[in-house]
Each structure stands twice: as C-alpha cells, then as structure tokens.
Amino acid sequence: MGNEKAKKRILTGDRPTGPLHLGHYVGSLQNRVRLQHQYDTFIIVADVQTLSTNFDHPENLSADVRQVTLDNLSVGLDPDSAKVFVQSMVPQIAELTVFFSMFITVNRLKHNPTIKTEAGQYGFEDNMTYGFLGYPVSQAADILFCRADLVPVGEDQLPVVEVSRFTARRFNELYAPVFPEPQSLSGDTARLVGLDGQAKMSKSIGNCIYLSDSPEDIRTKVMSAVTDPARIHRDDPGHPEICTIFSYQQAFNRDESPDIEERCRAGTIGCVACKKRMVQVIEELLGPIRERRARFEKPGVVDEILLAGTEEARKEGGRTMEMVRGAMHIDYFHPGGQ
Ligand code: TRP
Ligand code: SF4
C-alpha cells in the first residue's frame, strides 16, 4: 500500500469553542467547500485543542462539537464525501503527538508567532501549560495522521502549519519517508476585520457576524459597524481604505467594490446606502447557509455524520500508524507490517 493515495488529501478543521463566523468563512471554510471533491477531505473537530485553553470547561464541548459540525455542513460541506470527525475519538492522533514531541524542541514552540500572539491574548506569557505550548505538535498530528497534502487555514494559523511541515520533514529524515510535507492554503481575504474596526473578527471580542445569525442580527450589526469617522455629512469625501464596511465590500461584493470606492471618495454614496447594500450582500450569502443548516438540524443527523467520519478517520490513522511503527522500528511483533 505504501504512501499511495488515489487522491491528494485535505485536512483542516476548527476548535469547537462556539459558532463560526464570517472570518472563518473567508479564511478556510470557503476553500474547504470549493476543494472538497477535488481532494479526499478530512475535517477535524478539534476538541482536545479546545482544552488547551478551556480545560476547566469541558462541559461545553458536547454542544460545541455539534455546533461546529453543523456550521461546516451549513456552508456546503458534503458529508457523503468529506469526513468530519472528533479529534479525541481518534487515538492515533494522541499517539503521534507523543512521538513527534520527542524531537520538536521547546524553543521552536516558544518562538512560534501564533503561540506568542495567543499566549498574549490569554495572558499565558509567564505561565503556560505544557498542552498549550505543545498544541502545534498536536496539530501536526491532526494533519499528519491522515498524511494530508493540503491544509486550508486562516492567515493566523500559518505559523502553526509551519510546525507540521517541519515535523513531516524531520520525521522523514530521522526514520523513513512516511509523510508528505503539507502545504497551507489561505483564503483570498487574508483576515476579516471585526465590526468594531479591530484587526480581526473574534468571538472573545464579540465583533463578529456569525454564520448562524438571523437577518435581523445581520442588519443590526452591519448598520452599527464602524466606518470612516471623517464622514459626518453624506457628501463628505470618504476614505474607504480605513472603513470596515469597505473591507467587507471587497471580501463579499468584489464586482461592485471599485464603483463603491470611487463614489465613497467622491462623496456621492452615503454610508447608510453603502451599509444597506452590505446587508443585502451578506444576507444573499447567509440565507442559503441558514436553509441548509435547518435541513441538517434534524435530530440525530449530525451525530450520525460525526460517528461515520470518525470511524473513517480511525481507519486511516491505523494505516498511518503501521507505517510510523515500521519507520521507527517499533513494530516489534509484526516487523514489515504483517
Ligand atoms: N488551530 C485551528 C484553529 O484554531 C484548528 C485546528 C485544529 C486545525 N487542528 C487543525 C486547523 C488541523 C487545521 C489543521 O482554527
Ligand atoms: Fe465606508 Fe461605504 Fe461609508 Fe465609504 S460609503 S465610508 S465605504 S460605509
């Protein structure tokens, strides 16, 4: 069997910490839906990784695991081809994490830009857990347990995927060539600005439009978003480059955005009209997503999808572990993988 796969493989996923938002959509969800049939696709619901910060609230996971799965299905992920699975139910990921942690240095993790930024956000700089510092190693195991080739992620995750690439190279060079070096892929909109104008949409800041928001939520949020503060009168010339709404026009209304930019600068479109158009555009995007969600929301549907996906993931993990044990000469009782 070796390392041969009929199709190249995608592995990506999310931490189940609450509903996914438009930032997730442009960063990763859109790519995973677009590529799901071209690649053999695995989607991880990373419950163990959630515990790297939320270890004191495991009781939220049960609902959040299902919520994140539903978000993925609602954007158009096809459960007949993509395999959505629960991280903690695939034991081979935990096994690989242990083996990888033997050769990844603490320094590499401490200097990882994503770890540094997130440690700052959570106030962990001076006192972080072993699991938090090591989450990129665990994420390398998430990606490599199925020997993935491509990892669609938001821009903030690129340094973490870099650890997976290093892990694959290092393992192959130390033991035997088992893993492809996974490539990362970010969305066209690298990062979506928050409704309050902050650098990014983030659940903890509460400046997000969620995929599951109602038409009323969308309206209220968009109409109260931060724009160019210099525009007081409708015909004041605007500065679209500093306006949150304009960045959404570029992300979700690409065709009209050059025209809006021109009219904003000339003071011939008012912010209210511009925002109303944005409300329509976002509703056109989220309306079908809301409808698909309702279809998957029937009792038992999500659970069945997760259980089937998890079973497939465990099978694939078994194949990888056979190769890993062989490469590391720890297949003591079945040398050669018999
Ligand atoms: N760290 C990712 C996030 O916070 C979630 C994740 C866990 C992931 N394991 C992964 C993403 C593997 C891509 C590949 O969004
Ligand atoms: Fe922003 Fe639109 Fe107002 Fe210009 S017209 S400042 S792009 S909301």
Side-chain angles (χ1 to χ4, degrees):
M1 178 174 48
N3 201 6
E4 293 307 307
K5 294 176 298 204
K7 269 187 190 176
K8 292 225 173 202
R9 202 165 271 165
I10 278 181
L11 179 295
T12 186
D14 316 279
R15 296 181 193 199
T17 55
L20 299 183
H21 52 67
L22 286 177
H24 294 112
Y25 185 77
V26 297
S28 167
L29 294 171
Q30 211 172 12
N31 274 334
R32 60 182 88 156
V33 170
R34 180 169 62 87
L35 297 171
Q36 63 180 329
H37 295 118
Q38 196 176 324
Y39 286 77
D40 184 22
T41 297
F42 283 86
I43 303 294
I44 188 166
V45 182
D47 59 340
V48 179
Q49 193 174 107
T50 299
L51 294 170
S52 71
T53 53
N54 297 12
F55 52 85
D56 50 348
H57 286 291
E59 68 280 6
N60 296 339
L61 285 171
S62 171
D64 286 344
V65 161
R66 292 173 169 103
Q67 164 82 265
V68 151
T69 306
L70 202 46
D71 277 330
N72 270 278
L73 296 166
S74 75
V75 295
L77 203 82
D78 172 8
D80 290 332
S81 69
K83 295 160 275 283
V84 193
F85 68 94
V86 182
Q87 183 187 23
S88 65
M89 291 171 72
V90 178
Q92 295 90 355
I93 293 178
E95 287 180 60
L96 277 179
T97 304
V98 172
F99 292 133
F100 294 161
S101 72
M102 302 305 163
F103 61 82
I104 309 276
T105 65
V106 171
N107 264 339
R108 177 174 297 271
L109 297 167
K110 271 193 185 154
H111 296 130
N112 186 279
T114 308
I115 288 288
K116 279 195 188 164
T117 309
E118 291 181 357
Q121 282 163 6
Y122 294 112
F124 288 171
E125 291 102 327
D126 302 324
N127 196 15
M128 65 181 87
T129 63
Y130 174 57
F132 176 78
L133 179 66
Y135 101 69
V137 183
S138 160
Q139 187 157 326
D142 296 344
I143 293 168
L144 298 177
F145 94 96
C146 67
R147 307 183 314 288
D149 303 280
L150 190 70
V151 189
V153 280
E155 188 192 43
D156 57 323
Q157 283 287 304
L158 295 178
V160 178
V161 179
E162 206 44 53
V163 175
S164 311
R165 293 163 56 76
F166 172 80
T167 305
R169 282 200 303 273
R170 193 79 186 107
F171 183 99
N172 292 347
E173 157 193 300
L174 281 167
Y175 308 120
V178 169
F179 298 111
E181 191 175 317
Q183 307 291 314
S184 46
L185 175 71
S186 287
D188 299 340
T189 303
R191 182 167 38 76
L192 203 63
V193 172
L195 286 160
D196 56 354
Q198 291 212 48
K200 98 182 210 186
M201 273 200 184
S202 154
K203 198 188 113 214
S204 53
I205 306 175
N207 58 358
C208 309
I209 298 176
Y210 295 105
L211 299 174
S212 46
D213 274 349
S214 67
E216 298 72 44
D217 293 333
I218 297 169
R219 233 193 92 70
T220 317
K221 288 181 181 182
V222 170
M223 295 313 286
S224 57
V226 173
T227 62
D228 174 4
R231 293 201 81 189
I232 296 158
H233 306 293
R234 198 187 158 290
D235 51 2
D236 289 339
H239 306 85
E241 67 280 5
I242 59 158
C243 173
T244 307
I245 294 297
F246 185 67
S247 70
Y248 298 169
Q249 299 282 11
Q250 286 177 304
F252 302 111
N253 192 19
R254 196 152 295 174
D255 292 352
E256 279 177 61
S257 72
D259 183 52
I260 291 172
E261 176 169 14
E262 213 180 291
R263 289 165 64 204
C264 173
R265 285 193 202 287
T268 58
I269 182 175
C271 291
V272 171
C274 185
K275 284 175 159 181
K276 281 190 175 157
R277 179 70 191 122
M278 197 69 243
V279 171
Q280 273 175 349
V281 167
I282 294 182
E283 180 52 28
E284 275 162 30
L285 174 68
L286 295 188
I289 290 179
R290 207 177 292 120
E291 277 168 34
R292 235 183 268 112
R293 169 185 299 273
R295 278 188 263 133
F296 285 110
E297 243 166 356
K298 309 223 162 65
V301 174
V302 166
D303 288 18
E304 206 174 293
I305 290 168
L306 276 175
L307 285 170
T310 301
E311 197 178 311
E312 288 295 317
R314 292 170 73 126
K315 273 191 213 151
E316 201 50 52
R319 290 182 199 112
T320 301
M321 284 315 294
E322 240 178 61
M323 296 180 206
V324 164
R325 287 175 189 280
M328 296 179 71
H329 304 284
I330 57 172
D331 52 347
Y332 309 119
F333 304 107
H334 300 281
Q338 282 146 45

